[in-house]
Amino acid sequence: SGNGARRGALTAIQQSLAWAVDNNYLQTNPLRKIKKPPSGRRETLISPEDHARMCRKANPKFRAVLIILHGSGARPGEVSALTAENWTGSTFVLKKHKTSDKTKKARIIYVSPCVLALIQTLIQARPRGPLFTNTLGGKWTGNAIRCQMRRLRKALGLPFGTVAYSYRH
């Protein structure tokens, strides 16, 4: 209904047509020059009260994810990649991350003092592998975090734009 949905639909169609051209099913992509609508900004902020409500409602494994998102401003995908090996004692350092190919720099994730105890507990429990695991013991995926946030948002009646990425704002 909004620009984001139109942009996503047009992107999917353009990618399909580009694939068809690459595989010689079409000679040219008739939509290659169509301008996409702007995606718009995510403006929903998570209040301290809503964060507390989500933490109370979430299972303990996802509560840890909410706490690190809130206390670090990390991207949800970065949280799923955090390991004890990335921890310096005060920050996480990710060599491979969303913008590493472009910036050629490591991503440093600073954490608030209130998150340190959680991190130290997780590192003692999991010196190898992902620090934040789901109820089955596996690594959280971006999609699983998205689904958990959607369930919490619906259960608590939070605004539609309340997503994990909102913690970065």
Side-chain angles (χ1 to χ4, degrees):
S1 62
N3 276 354
R6 288 184 193 97
R7 182 180 180 84
L10 186 55
T11 297
I13 292 167
Q14 285 180 325
Q15 288 174 341
S16 298
L17 292 171
W19 174 87
V21 169
D22 290 346
N23 288 282
N24 298 318
Y25 291 108
L26 290 175
Q27 289 184 342
T28 61
N29 178 348
L31 301 182
R32 73 182 182 284
K33 291 188 178 183
I34 289 184
K35 299 250 188 238
K36 296 181 210 172
S39 59
R41 292 179 48 102
R42 290 185 176 142
E43 297 292 339
T44 303
L45 301 177
I46 297 175
S47 70
E49 296 79 19
D50 287 342
H51 171 68
R53 289 176 59 213
M54 287 191 293
C55 284
R56 283 192 300 273
K57 182 81 172 165
N59 70 57
K61 297 284 191 168
F62 193 62
R63 185 177 306 127
V65 171
L66 293 174
I67 291 168
I68 190 69
L69 286 169
H70 184 258
S72 69
R75 295 176 179 95
E78 292 170 340
V79 169
S80 69
L82 297 179
T83 65
E85 291 88 9
N86 305 128
W87 181 245
T88 68
S90 59
T91 61
F92 285 102
V93 178
L94 297 178
K95 292 184 175 143
K96 190 75 180 149
H97 57 89
K98 180 182 176 180
T99 59
S100 60
D101 290 341
K102 185 183 249 185
T103 64
K104 307 291 186 223
K105 293 181 182 177
R107 164 89 161 106
I108 299 172
I109 300 172
Y110 298 92
V111 296
S112 64
C114 63
V115 177
L116 289 176
L118 169 65
I119 292 169
Q120 290 164 349
T121 302
L122 291 173
I123 287 174
Q124 286 177 354
R126 294 182 203 93
R128 303 246 182 276
L131 287 179
F132 297 90
T133 57
N134 59 30
T135 54
L136 300 175
K139 175 181 169 181
W140 280 100
T141 64
N143 189 50
I145 292 172
R146 183 187 60 76
C147 289
Q148 285 291 320
M149 284 297 294
R150 184 183 66 224
R151 287 184 195 112
L152 280 175
R153 183 178 65 235
K154 287 181 177 182
L156 298 172
L158 298 173
F160 176 75
T162 304
V163 296
Y165 209 87
S166 297
Y167 279 107
R168 287 184 56 81
H169 305 284

